[in-house]
Amino acid sequence: MRPEEGRAREEATLRSDAQRNRERILEVALVELTRAADAPLSVIAKKACVGQGTFYRNFPNREALVLEVYRYEMQQVADTAAQLLRTRAPDLALREWMDRLAQYAMAKAGLAAALRKATSDHGGLAQLGHGPVTQAVTLLLNANEKAGTIRPGLTPDDFVLAIAGLWQLDPRGDWQPRAARLLDLVMDGLRAGARGAGGPTTDESEADGSRRER
């Protein structure tokens, strides 16, 4: 083996090890931050089986770690937008995606609390309307605007601000009916002034009714 080939293999191994370390940190951080918003970084590093130096090379502070965990998790939620649009009418896809976002927000309440703490000096959740969620919301809004099922000209920032109340719900309480009412109100606002006029589809009316009965 030539020396340069050996160095290339060694560098590839180092990169692979570094990637595995990063992934372990994120996996442990998701569990720990969901359980407790103020989970010590030293505990996360220890459970991820990495040294402090390795940890801080990947995530120099709590904010960097929390934001990366958030982005990774929200990518999973965002990916469902395209899937829903392939099988549902645009307005039904949007409303169901909103329900999935609510379920995520409640299931990851600890992470949401950590996120609020980490971003308190940077405009809070409203400033996080970028990345995977923005892409998903843009996809859904564009599909609905094209179909005439929502008012034209809405932006992802408008949407993120409209649903920000989700993160104020208590996941330990009876959050489902409150989330459904909030999202129904948001959906009504999105429809106001839609080119398609006429209001919700029959299927959506039935779906809304079933949500209120639950």
Side-chain angles (χ1 to χ4, degrees), residues 72-111:
Y72 176 80
E73 284 295 292
M74 291 311 296
Q75 183 66 63
Q76 313 310 303
V77 177
D79 287 345
T80 65
Q83 299 167 14
L84 289 169
L85 283 171
R86 286 195 291 268
T87 58
R88 291 160 178 74
D91 53 342
L92 298 180
L94 175 58
R95 186 62 183 82
E96 184 169 336
W97 189 80
M98 290 161 69
D99 279 335
R100 295 192 184 195
L101 186 63
Q103 292 165 8
Y104 168 84
M106 295 302 101
K108 306 297 183 184
L111 179 58

PDB file of all heavy atoms in Angstrom, residues 72-111:
ATOM      1  N   TYR A  72     -32.618  18.151  13.788  1.00  0.00           N
ATOM      2  CA  TYR A  72     -32.688  16.749  13.371  1.00  0.00           C
ATOM      3  C   TYR A  72     -34.102  16.205  13.567  1.00  0.00           C
ATOM      4  O   TYR A  72     -34.657  15.550  12.679  1.00  0.00           O
ATOM      5  CB  TYR A  72     -31.692  15.909  14.172  1.00  0.00           C
ATOM      6  CG  TYR A  72     -31.790  14.434  13.848  1.00  0.00           C
ATOM      7  CD1 TYR A  72     -31.193  13.910  12.704  1.00  0.00           C
ATOM      8  CD2 TYR A  72     -32.519  13.573  14.674  1.00  0.00           C
ATOM      9  CE1 TYR A  72     -31.305  12.558  12.391  1.00  0.00           C
ATOM     10  CE2 TYR A  72     -32.636  12.227  14.366  1.00  0.00           C
ATOM     11  CZ  TYR A  72     -32.028  11.723  13.223  1.00  0.00           C
ATOM     12  OH  TYR A  72     -32.158  10.396  12.917  1.00  0.00           O
ATOM     13  N   GLU A  73     -34.681  16.447  14.728  1.00  0.00           N
ATOM     14  CA  GLU A  73     -36.021  15.938  15.009  1.00  0.00           C
ATOM     15  C   GLU A  73     -37.064  16.578  14.095  1.00  0.00           C
ATOM     16  O   GLU A  73     -37.971  15.906  13.592  1.00  0.00           O
ATOM     17  CB  GLU A  73     -36.370  16.210  16.479  1.00  0.00           C
ATOM     18  CG  GLU A  73     -35.684  15.280  17.436  1.00  0.00           C
ATOM     19  CD  GLU A  73     -36.135  13.843  17.251  1.00  0.00           C
ATOM     20  OE1 GLU A  73     -37.296  13.530  17.545  1.00  0.00           O
ATOM     21  OE2 GLU A  73     -35.315  13.022  16.796  1.00  0.00           O
ATOM     22  N   MET A  74     -36.942  17.888  13.879  1.00  0.00           N
ATOM     23  CA  MET A  74     -37.912  18.566  13.032  1.00  0.00           C
ATOM     24  C   MET A  74     -37.795  18.130  11.581  1.00  0.00           C
ATOM     25  O   MET A  74     -38.765  18.187  10.837  1.00  0.00           O
ATOM     26  CB  MET A  74     -37.747  20.085  13.151  1.00  0.00           C
ATOM     27  CG  MET A  74     -38.168  20.636  14.507  1.00  0.00           C
ATOM     28  SD  MET A  74     -39.792  20.050  15.072  1.00  0.00           S
ATOM     29  CE  MET A  74     -40.868  20.730  13.828  1.00  0.00           C
ATOM     30  N   GLN A  75     -36.630  17.661  11.175  1.00  0.00           N
ATOM     31  CA  GLN A  75     -36.488  17.126   9.817  1.00  0.00           C
ATOM     32  C   GLN A  75     -37.388  15.911   9.644  1.00  0.00           C
ATOM     33  O   GLN A  75     -37.996  15.718   8.580  1.00  0.00           O
ATOM     34  CB  GLN A  75     -35.039  16.734   9.553  1.00  0.00           C
ATOM     35  CG  GLN A  75     -34.790  16.222   8.129  1.00  0.00           C
ATOM     36  CD  GLN A  75     -34.989  17.315   7.089  1.00  0.00           C
ATOM     37  OE1 GLN A  75     -34.268  18.310   7.098  1.00  0.00           O
ATOM     38  NE2 GLN A  75     -35.966  17.147   6.204  1.00  0.00           N
ATOM     39  N   GLN A  76     -37.500  15.089  10.695  1.00  0.00           N
ATOM     40  CA  GLN A  76     -38.351  13.916  10.620  1.00  0.00           C
ATOM     41  C   GLN A  76     -39.818  14.318  10.455  1.00  0.00           C
ATOM     42  O   GLN A  76     -40.563  13.721   9.673  1.00  0.00           O
ATOM     43  CB  GLN A  76     -38.193  13.052  11.884  1.00  0.00           C
ATOM     44  CG  GLN A  76     -36.760  12.779  12.318  1.00  0.00           C
ATOM     45  CD  GLN A  76     -35.876  12.279  11.195  1.00  0.00           C
ATOM     46  OE1 GLN A  76     -36.169  11.272  10.562  1.00  0.00           O
ATOM     47  NE2 GLN A  76     -34.775  12.965  10.946  1.00  0.00           N
ATOM     48  N   VAL A  77     -40.231  15.343  11.211  1.00  0.00           N
ATOM     49  CA  VAL A  77     -41.603  15.840  11.093  1.00  0.00           C
ATOM     50  C   VAL A  77     -41.826  16.480   9.729  1.00  0.00           C
ATOM     51  O   VAL A  77     -42.847  16.258   9.071  1.00  0.00           O
ATOM     52  CB  VAL A  77     -41.911  16.859  12.212  1.00  0.00           C
ATOM     53  CG1 VAL A  77     -43.319  17.426  12.050  1.00  0.00           C
ATOM     54  CG2 VAL A  77     -41.767  16.209  13.584  1.00  0.00           C
ATOM     55  N   ALA A  78     -40.857  17.266   9.289  1.00  0.00           N
ATOM     56  CA  ALA A  78     -40.992  17.982   8.019  1.00  0.00           C
ATOM     57  C   ALA A  78     -41.129  17.024   6.841  1.00  0.00           C
ATOM     58  O   ALA A  78     -41.869  17.292   5.888  1.00  0.00           O
ATOM     59  CB  ALA A  78     -39.784  18.898   7.806  1.00  0.00           C
ATOM     60  N   ASP A  79     -40.437  15.900   6.905  1.00  0.00           N
ATOM     61  CA  ASP A  79     -40.461  14.954   5.794  1.00  0.00           C
ATOM     62  C   ASP A  79     -41.853  14.399   5.518  1.00  0.00           C
ATOM     63  O   ASP A  79     -42.133  13.936   4.411  1.00  0.00           O
ATOM     64  CB  ASP A  79     -39.494  13.795   6.067  1.00  0.00           C
ATOM     65  CG  ASP A  79     -38.034  14.207   5.919  1.00  0.00           C
ATOM     66  OD1 ASP A  79     -37.781  15.285   5.337  1.00  0.00           O
ATOM     67  OD2 ASP A  79     -37.163  13.464   6.391  1.00  0.00           O
ATOM     68  N   THR A  80     -42.733  14.441   6.528  1.00  0.00           N
ATOM     69  CA  THR A  80     -44.078  13.887   6.323  1.00  0.00           C
ATOM     70  C   THR A  80     -44.950  14.782   5.437  1.00  0.00           C
ATOM     71  O   THR A  80     -45.963  14.329   4.913  1.00  0.00           O
ATOM     72  CB  THR A  80     -44.799  13.671   7.663  1.00  0.00           C
ATOM     73  OG1 THR A  80     -45.019  14.939   8.305  1.00  0.00           O
ATOM     74  CG2 THR A  80     -43.989  12.772   8.578  1.00  0.00           C
ATOM     75  N   ALA A  81     -44.568  16.050   5.260  1.00  0.00           N
ATOM     76  CA  ALA A  81     -45.387  16.962   4.454  1.00  0.00           C
ATOM     77  C   ALA A  81     -45.531  16.462   3.028  1.00  0.00           C
ATOM     78  O   ALA A  81     -46.640  16.387   2.481  1.00  0.00           O
ATOM     79  CB  ALA A  81     -44.786  18.369   4.478  1.00  0.00           C
ATOM     80  N   ALA A  82     -44.414  16.101   2.405  1.00  0.00           N
ATOM     81  CA  ALA A  82     -44.458  15.616   1.025  1.00  0.00           C
ATOM     82  C   ALA A  82     -45.230  14.300   0.938  1.00  0.00           C
ATOM     83  O   ALA A  82     -45.977  14.071  -0.026  1.00  0.00           O
ATOM     84  CB  ALA A  82     -43.039  15.431   0.487  1.00  0.00           C
ATOM     85  N   GLN A  83     -45.070  13.452   1.952  1.00  0.00           N
ATOM     86  CA  GLN A  83     -45.788  12.185   1.958  1.00  0.00           C
ATOM     87  C   GLN A  83     -47.296  12.405   2.004  1.00  0.00           C
ATOM     88  O   GLN A  83     -48.059  11.749   1.289  1.00  0.00           O
ATOM     89  CB  GLN A  83     -45.344  11.345   3.163  1.00  0.00           C
ATOM     90  CG  GLN A  83     -43.860  10.989   3.148  1.00  0.00           C
ATOM     91  CD  GLN A  83     -43.380  10.443   4.482  1.00  0.00           C
ATOM     92  OE1 GLN A  83     -44.177  10.090   5.350  1.00  0.00           O
ATOM     93  NE2 GLN A  83     -42.065  10.391   4.663  1.00  0.00           N
ATOM     94  N   LEU A  84     -47.745  13.334   2.836  1.00  0.00           N
ATOM     95  CA  LEU A  84     -49.171  13.618   2.955  1.00  0.00           C
ATOM     96  C   LEU A  84     -49.735  14.202   1.660  1.00  0.00           C
ATOM     97  O   LEU A  84     -50.851  13.871   1.243  1.00  0.00           O
ATOM     98  CB  LEU A  84     -49.416  14.577   4.117  1.00  0.00           C
ATOM     99  CG  LEU A  84     -49.207  13.978   5.512  1.00  0.00           C
ATOM    100  CD1 LEU A  84     -49.220  15.084   6.571  1.00  0.00           C
ATOM    101  CD2 LEU A  84     -50.283  12.950   5.823  1.00  0.00           C
ATOM    102  N   LEU A  85     -48.960  15.080   1.016  1.00  0.00           N
ATOM    103  CA  LEU A  85     -49.445  15.699  -0.230  1.00  0.00           C
ATOM    104  C   LEU A  85     -49.593  14.683  -1.352  1.00  0.00           C
ATOM    105  O   LEU A  85     -50.369  14.904  -2.290  1.00  0.00           O
ATOM    106  CB  LEU A  85     -48.494  16.816  -0.664  1.00  0.00           C
ATOM    107  CG  LEU A  85     -48.622  18.132   0.115  1.00  0.00           C
ATOM    108  CD1 LEU A  85     -47.494  19.079  -0.252  1.00  0.00           C
ATOM    109  CD2 LEU A  85     -49.984  18.791  -0.145  1.00  0.00           C
ATOM    110  N   ARG A  86     -48.873  13.574  -1.272  1.00  0.00           N
ATOM    111  CA  ARG A  86     -49.000  12.544  -2.313  1.00  0.00           C
ATOM    112  C   ARG A  86     -50.290  11.745  -2.179  1.00  0.00           C
ATOM    113  O   ARG A  86     -50.722  11.122  -3.140  1.00  0.00           O
ATOM    114  CB  ARG A  86     -47.796  11.601  -2.265  1.00  0.00           C
ATOM    115  CG  ARG A  86     -46.514  12.206  -2.824  1.00  0.00           C
ATOM    116  CD  ARG A  86     -45.463  11.142  -3.087  1.00  0.00           C
ATOM    117  NE  ARG A  86     -44.951  10.565  -1.858  1.00  0.00           N
ATOM    118  CZ  ARG A  86     -43.877  11.025  -1.216  1.00  0.00           C
ATOM    119  NH1 ARG A  86     -43.212  12.066  -1.693  1.00  0.00           N
ATOM    120  NH2 ARG A  86     -43.449  10.461  -0.109  1.00  0.00           N
ATOM    121  N   THR A  87     -50.889  11.766  -1.002  1.00  0.00           N
ATOM    122  CA  THR A  87     -52.050  10.898  -0.762  1.00  0.00           C
ATOM    123  C   THR A  87     -53.313  11.647  -0.350  1.00  0.00           C
ATOM    124  O   THR A  87     -54.372  11.031  -0.218  1.00  0.00           O
ATOM    125  CB  THR A  87     -51.724   9.860   0.332  1.00  0.00           C
ATOM    126  OG1 THR A  87     -51.336  10.554   1.533  1.00  0.00           O
ATOM    127  CG2 THR A  87     -50.578   8.957  -0.110  1.00  0.00           C
ATOM    128  N   ARG A  88     -53.241  12.959  -0.156  1.00  0.00           N
ATOM    129  CA  ARG A  88     -54.378  13.732   0.321  1.00  0.00           C
ATOM    130  C   ARG A  88     -54.511  15.037  -0.445  1.00  0.00           C
ATOM    131  O   ARG A  88     -53.546  15.522  -1.012  1.00  0.00           O
ATOM    132  CB  ARG A  88     -54.244  14.024   1.821  1.00  0.00           C
ATOM    133  CG  ARG A  88     -54.388  12.783   2.707  1.00  0.00           C
ATOM    134  CD  ARG A  88     -53.774  13.018   4.061  1.00  0.00           C
ATOM    135  NE  ARG A  88     -53.917  11.902   4.976  1.00  0.00           N
ATOM    136  CZ  ARG A  88     -53.230  10.771   4.892  1.00  0.00           C
ATOM    137  NH1 ARG A  88     -52.357  10.598   3.911  1.00  0.00           N
ATOM    138  NH2 ARG A  88     -53.425   9.790   5.769  1.00  0.00           N
ATOM    139  N   ALA A  89     -55.720  15.594  -0.423  1.00  0.00           N
ATOM    140  CA  ALA A  89     -55.926  16.928  -0.979  1.00  0.00           C
ATOM    141  C   ALA A  89     -55.075  17.914  -0.190  1.00  0.00           C
ATOM    142  O   ALA A  89     -54.803  17.696   1.001  1.00  0.00           O
ATOM    143  CB  ALA A  89     -57.399  17.308  -0.886  1.00  0.00           C
ATOM    144  N   PRO A  90     -54.634  19.014  -0.810  1.00  0.00           N
ATOM    145  CA  PRO A  90     -53.727  19.943  -0.128  1.00  0.00           C
ATOM    146  C   PRO A  90     -54.216  20.435   1.221  1.00  0.00           C
ATOM    147  O   PRO A  90     -53.433  20.497   2.182  1.00  0.00           O
ATOM    148  CB  PRO A  90     -53.595  21.096  -1.135  1.00  0.00           C
ATOM    149  CG  PRO A  90     -53.796  20.440  -2.465  1.00  0.00           C
ATOM    150  CD  PRO A  90     -54.851  19.396  -2.221  1.00  0.00           C
ATOM    151  N   ASP A  91     -55.511  20.790   1.338  1.00  0.00           N
ATOM    152  CA  ASP A  91     -55.994  21.310   2.620  1.00  0.00           C
ATOM    153  C   ASP A  91     -56.025  20.221   3.688  1.00  0.00           C
ATOM    154  O   ASP A  91     -55.712  20.470   4.854  1.00  0.00           O
ATOM    155  CB  ASP A  91     -57.358  21.977   2.472  1.00  0.00           C
ATOM    156  CG  ASP A  91     -58.391  21.091   1.811  1.00  0.00           C
ATOM    157  OD1 ASP A  91     -58.020  20.096   1.155  1.00  0.00           O
ATOM    158  OD2 ASP A  91     -59.591  21.398   1.952  1.00  0.00           O
ATOM    159  N   LEU A  92     -56.371  19.000   3.295  1.00  0.00           N
ATOM    160  CA  LEU A  92     -56.366  17.892   4.245  1.00  0.00           C
ATOM    161  C   LEU A  92     -54.938  17.545   4.661  1.00  0.00           C
ATOM    162  O   LEU A  92     -54.685  17.220   5.821  1.00  0.00           O
ATOM    163  CB  LEU A  92     -57.040  16.660   3.644  1.00  0.00           C
ATOM    164  CG  LEU A  92     -58.520  16.807   3.279  1.00  0.00           C
ATOM    165  CD1 LEU A  92     -59.052  15.508   2.685  1.00  0.00           C
ATOM    166  CD2 LEU A  92     -59.336  17.194   4.504  1.00  0.00           C
ATOM    167  N   ALA A  93     -54.011  17.613   3.717  1.00  0.00           N
ATOM    168  CA  ALA A  93     -52.610  17.338   4.031  1.00  0.00           C
ATOM    169  C   ALA A  93     -52.082  18.363   5.034  1.00  0.00           C
ATOM    170  O   ALA A  93     -51.393  18.013   6.001  1.00  0.00           O
ATOM    171  CB  ALA A  93     -51.763  17.360   2.765  1.00  0.00           C
ATOM    172  N   LEU A  94     -52.408  19.635   4.826  1.00  0.00           N
ATOM    173  CA  LEU A  94     -51.954  20.695   5.722  1.00  0.00           C
ATOM    174  C   LEU A  94     -52.518  20.494   7.123  1.00  0.00           C
ATOM    175  O   LEU A  94     -51.784  20.572   8.117  1.00  0.00           O
ATOM    176  CB  LEU A  94     -52.373  22.061   5.174  1.00  0.00           C
ATOM    177  CG  LEU A  94     -52.073  23.271   6.060  1.00  0.00           C
ATOM    178  CD1 LEU A  94     -50.586  23.375   6.364  1.00  0.00           C
ATOM    179  CD2 LEU A  94     -52.580  24.554   5.392  1.00  0.00           C
ATOM    180  N   ARG A  95     -53.814  20.212   7.195  1.00  0.00           N
ATOM    181  CA  ARG A  95     -54.437  20.064   8.531  1.00  0.00           C
ATOM    182  C   ARG A  95     -53.885  18.844   9.266  1.00  0.00           C
ATOM    183  O   ARG A  95     -53.637  18.904  10.478  1.00  0.00           O
ATOM    184  CB  ARG A  95     -55.959  19.952   8.378  1.00  0.00           C
ATOM    185  CG  ARG A  95     -56.701  19.933   9.720  1.00  0.00           C
ATOM    186  CD  ARG A  95     -56.471  21.235  10.478  1.00  0.00           C
ATOM    187  NE  ARG A  95     -57.104  21.196  11.788  1.00  0.00           N
ATOM    188  CZ  ARG A  95     -56.568  20.631  12.860  1.00  0.00           C
ATOM    189  NH1 ARG A  95     -55.366  20.071  12.782  1.00  0.00           N
ATOM    190  NH2 ARG A  95     -57.197  20.641  14.012  1.00  0.00           N
ATOM    191  N   GLU A  96     -53.669  17.742   8.558  1.00  0.00           N
ATOM    192  CA  GLU A  96     -53.118  16.554   9.209  1.00  0.00           C
ATOM    193  C   GLU A  96     -51.678  16.796   9.635  1.00  0.00           C
ATOM    194  O   GLU A  96     -51.249  16.332  10.702  1.00  0.00           O
ATOM    195  CB  GLU A  96     -53.210  15.336   8.298  1.00  0.00           C
ATOM    196  CG  GLU A  96     -52.737  14.058   8.994  1.00  0.00           C
ATOM    197  CD  GLU A  96     -53.047  12.798   8.218  1.00  0.00           C
ATOM    198  OE1 GLU A  96     -53.982  12.800   7.398  1.00  0.00           O
ATOM    199  OE2 GLU A  96     -52.339  11.790   8.441  1.00  0.00           O
ATOM    200  N   TRP A  97     -50.914  17.510   8.822  1.00  0.00           N
ATOM    201  CA  TRP A  97     -49.538  17.811   9.202  1.00  0.00           C
ATOM    202  C   TRP A  97     -49.507  18.665  10.466  1.00  0.00           C
ATOM    203  O   TRP A  97     -48.649  18.476  11.335  1.00  0.00           O
ATOM    204  CB  TRP A  97     -48.824  18.530   8.063  1.00  0.00           C
ATOM    205  CG  TRP A  97     -47.354  18.689   8.297  1.00  0.00           C
ATOM    206  CD1 TRP A  97     -46.378  17.754   8.116  1.00  0.00           C
ATOM    207  CD2 TRP A  97     -46.689  19.857   8.804  1.00  0.00           C
ATOM    208  NE1 TRP A  97     -45.147  18.264   8.454  1.00  0.00           N
ATOM    209  CE2 TRP A  97     -45.311  19.547   8.885  1.00  0.00           C
ATOM    210  CE3 TRP A  97     -47.129  21.126   9.178  1.00  0.00           C
ATOM    211  CZ2 TRP A  97     -44.365  20.476   9.325  1.00  0.00           C
ATOM    212  CZ3 TRP A  97     -46.191  22.054   9.636  1.00  0.00           C
ATOM    213  CH2 TRP A  97     -44.828  21.717   9.696  1.00  0.00           C
ATOM    214  N   MET A  98     -50.450  19.588  10.580  1.00  0.00           N
ATOM    215  CA  MET A  98     -50.539  20.394  11.791  1.00  0.00           C
ATOM    216  C   MET A  98     -50.805  19.519  13.013  1.00  0.00           C
ATOM    217  O   MET A  98     -50.239  19.735  14.089  1.00  0.00           O
ATOM    218  CB  MET A  98     -51.633  21.450  11.622  1.00  0.00           C
ATOM    219  CG  MET A  98     -51.272  22.533  10.615  1.00  0.00           C
ATOM    220  SD  MET A  98     -52.705  23.450   9.984  1.00  0.00           S
ATOM    221  CE  MET A  98     -53.210  24.364  11.431  1.00  0.00           C
ATOM    222  N   ASP A  99     -51.651  18.516  12.864  1.00  0.00           N
ATOM    223  CA  ASP A  99     -51.900  17.579  13.966  1.00  0.00           C
ATOM    224  C   ASP A  99     -50.622  16.833  14.347  1.00  0.00           C
ATOM    225  O   ASP A  99     -50.330  16.623  15.528  1.00  0.00           O
ATOM    226  CB  ASP A  99     -52.981  16.561  13.572  1.00  0.00           C
ATOM    227  CG  ASP A  99     -54.389  17.114  13.724  1.00  0.00           C
ATOM    228  OD1 ASP A  99     -54.584  18.030  14.538  1.00  0.00           O
ATOM    229  OD2 ASP A  99     -55.299  16.621  13.029  1.00  0.00           O
ATOM    230  N   ARG A 100     -49.874  16.418  13.345  1.00  0.00           N
ATOM    231  CA  ARG A 100     -48.628  15.694  13.622  1.00  0.00           C
ATOM    232  C   ARG A 100     -47.619  16.599  14.331  1.00  0.00           C
ATOM    233  O   ARG A 100     -46.882  16.157  15.215  1.00  0.00           O
ATOM    234  CB  ARG A 100     -48.035  15.140  12.323  1.00  0.00           C
ATOM    235  CG  ARG A 100     -48.911  14.081  11.685  1.00  0.00           C
ATOM    236  CD  ARG A 100     -48.203  13.349  10.578  1.00  0.00           C
ATOM    237  NE  ARG A 100     -49.089  12.404   9.921  1.00  0.00           N
ATOM    238  CZ  ARG A 100     -48.661  11.433   9.114  1.00  0.00           C
ATOM    239  NH1 ARG A 100     -47.370  11.303   8.856  1.00  0.00           N
ATOM    240  NH2 ARG A 100     -49.523  10.615   8.541  1.00  0.00           N
ATOM    241  N   LEU A 101     -47.598  17.866  13.947  1.00  0.00           N
ATOM    242  CA  LEU A 101     -46.711  18.814  14.612  1.00  0.00           C
ATOM    243  C   LEU A 101     -47.111  18.980  16.070  1.00  0.00           C
ATOM    244  O   LEU A 101     -46.252  19.057  16.955  1.00  0.00           O
ATOM    245  CB  LEU A 101     -46.754  20.162  13.885  1.00  0.00           C
ATOM    246  CG  LEU A 101     -45.764  21.224  14.365  1.00  0.00           C
ATOM    247  CD1 LEU A 101     -44.334  20.762  14.146  1.00  0.00           C
ATOM    248  CD2 LEU A 101     -46.017  22.543  13.658  1.00  0.00           C
ATOM    249  N   ALA A 102     -48.423  19.026  16.329  1.00  0.00           N
ATOM    250  CA  ALA A 102     -48.910  19.148  17.700  1.00  0.00           C
ATOM    251  C   ALA A 102     -48.512  17.928  18.526  1.00  0.00           C
ATOM    252  O   ALA A 102     -48.072  18.048  19.679  1.00  0.00           O
ATOM    253  CB  ALA A 102     -50.424  19.320  17.712  1.00  0.00           C
ATOM    254  N   GLN A 103     -48.664  16.750  17.952  1.00  0.00           N
ATOM    255  CA  GLN A 103     -48.279  15.527  18.656  1.00  0.00           C
ATOM    256  C   GLN A 103     -46.788  15.536  18.973  1.00  0.00           C
ATOM    257  O   GLN A 103     -46.371  15.138  20.068  1.00  0.00           O
ATOM    258  CB  GLN A 103     -48.642  14.309  17.801  1.00  0.00           C
ATOM    259  CG  GLN A 103     -50.133  14.096  17.662  1.00  0.00           C
ATOM    260  CD  GLN A 103     -50.495  13.138  16.532  1.00  0.00           C
ATOM    261  OE1 GLN A 103     -49.611  12.509  15.933  1.00  0.00           O
ATOM    262  NE2 GLN A 103     -51.767  13.036  16.227  1.00  0.00           N
ATOM    263  N   TYR A 104     -46.006  16.006  18.030  1.00  0.00           N
ATOM    264  CA  TYR A 104     -44.557  16.100  18.265  1.00  0.00           C
ATOM    265  C   TYR A 104     -44.271  17.078  19.393  1.00  0.00           C
ATOM    266  O   TYR A 104     -43.469  16.804  20.287  1.00  0.00           O
ATOM    267  CB  TYR A 104     -43.843  16.552  16.991  1.00  0.00           C
ATOM    268  CG  TYR A 104     -42.403  16.936  17.256  1.00  0.00           C
ATOM    269  CD1 TYR A 104     -41.407  15.974  17.294  1.00  0.00           C
ATOM    270  CD2 TYR A 104     -42.055  18.264  17.515  1.00  0.00           C
ATOM    271  CE1 TYR A 104     -40.096  16.320  17.567  1.00  0.00           C
ATOM    272  CE2 TYR A 104     -40.750  18.618  17.791  1.00  0.00           C
ATOM    273  CZ  TYR A 104     -39.774  17.640  17.814  1.00  0.00           C
ATOM    274  OH  TYR A 104     -38.486  17.989  18.111  1.00  0.00           O
ATOM    275  N   ALA A 105     -44.928  18.241  19.345  1.00  0.00           N
ATOM    276  CA  ALA A 105     -44.677  19.282  20.348  1.00  0.00           C
ATOM    277  C   ALA A 105     -44.971  18.765  21.747  1.00  0.00           C
ATOM    278  O   ALA A 105     -44.242  19.073  22.697  1.00  0.00           O
ATOM    279  CB  ALA A 105     -45.531  20.510  20.043  1.00  0.00           C
ATOM    280  N   MET A 106     -46.028  17.968  21.892  1.00  0.00           N
ATOM    281  CA  MET A 106     -46.380  17.459  23.213  1.00  0.00           C
ATOM    282  C   MET A 106     -45.456  16.322  23.636  1.00  0.00           C
ATOM    283  O   MET A 106     -45.055  16.224  24.798  1.00  0.00           O
ATOM    284  CB  MET A 106     -47.839  16.987  23.218  1.00  0.00           C
ATOM    285  CG  MET A 106     -48.853  18.102  22.999  1.00  0.00           C
ATOM    286  SD  MET A 106     -48.770  19.455  24.231  1.00  0.00           S
ATOM    287  CE  MET A 106     -47.865  20.709  23.321  1.00  0.00           C
ATOM    288  N   ALA A 107     -45.101  15.463  22.699  1.00  0.00           N
ATOM    289  CA  ALA A 107     -44.229  14.331  23.029  1.00  0.00           C
ATOM    290  C   ALA A 107     -42.825  14.799  23.392  1.00  0.00           C
ATOM    291  O   ALA A 107     -42.139  14.160  24.190  1.00  0.00           O
ATOM    292  CB  ALA A 107     -44.168  13.352  21.861  1.00  0.00           C
ATOM    293  N   LYS A 108     -42.408  15.902  22.806  1.00  0.00           N
ATOM    294  CA  LYS A 108     -41.056  16.417  23.040  1.00  0.00           C
ATOM    295  C   LYS A 108     -41.099  17.712  23.845  1.00  0.00           C
ATOM    296  O   LYS A 108     -40.335  18.642  23.604  1.00  0.00           O
ATOM    297  CB  LYS A 108     -40.353  16.668  21.706  1.00  0.00           C
ATOM    298  CG  LYS A 108     -40.325  15.479  20.773  1.00  0.00           C
ATOM    299  CD  LYS A 108     -39.556  14.310  21.338  1.00  0.00           C
ATOM    300  CE  LYS A 108     -39.488  13.155  20.351  1.00  0.00           C
ATOM    301  NZ  LYS A 108     -38.819  11.974  20.917  1.00  0.00           N
ATOM    302  N   ALA A 109     -41.994  17.754  24.820  1.00  0.00           N
ATOM    303  CA  ALA A 109     -42.171  18.988  25.590  1.00  0.00           C
ATOM    304  C   ALA A 109     -40.885  19.408  26.299  1.00  0.00           C
ATOM    305  O   ALA A 109     -40.568  20.591  26.404  1.00  0.00           O
ATOM    306  CB  ALA A 109     -43.295  18.819  26.608  1.00  0.00           C
ATOM    307  N   GLY A 110     -40.145  18.425  26.812  1.00  0.00           N
ATOM    308  CA  GLY A 110     -38.888  18.752  27.479  1.00  0.00           C
ATOM    309  C   GLY A 110     -37.903  19.395  26.528  1.00  0.00           C
ATOM    310  O   GLY A 110     -37.203  20.348  26.890  1.00  0.00           O
ATOM    311  N   LEU A 111     -37.852  18.896  25.307  1.00  0.00           N
ATOM    312  CA  LEU A 111     -36.967  19.474  24.303  1.00  0.00           C
ATOM    313  C   LEU A 111     -37.424  20.885  23.948  1.00  0.00           C
ATOM    314  O   LEU A 111     -36.605  21.785  23.757  1.00  0.00           O
ATOM    315  CB  LEU A 111     -36.935  18.593  23.054  1.00  0.00           C
ATOM    316  CG  LEU A 111     -36.061  19.082  21.907  1.00  0.00           C
ATOM    317  CD1 LEU A 111     -34.616  19.263  22.351  1.00  0.00           C
ATOM    318  CD2 LEU A 111     -36.136  18.092  20.738  1.00  0.00           C
TER     319      LEU A 111
END
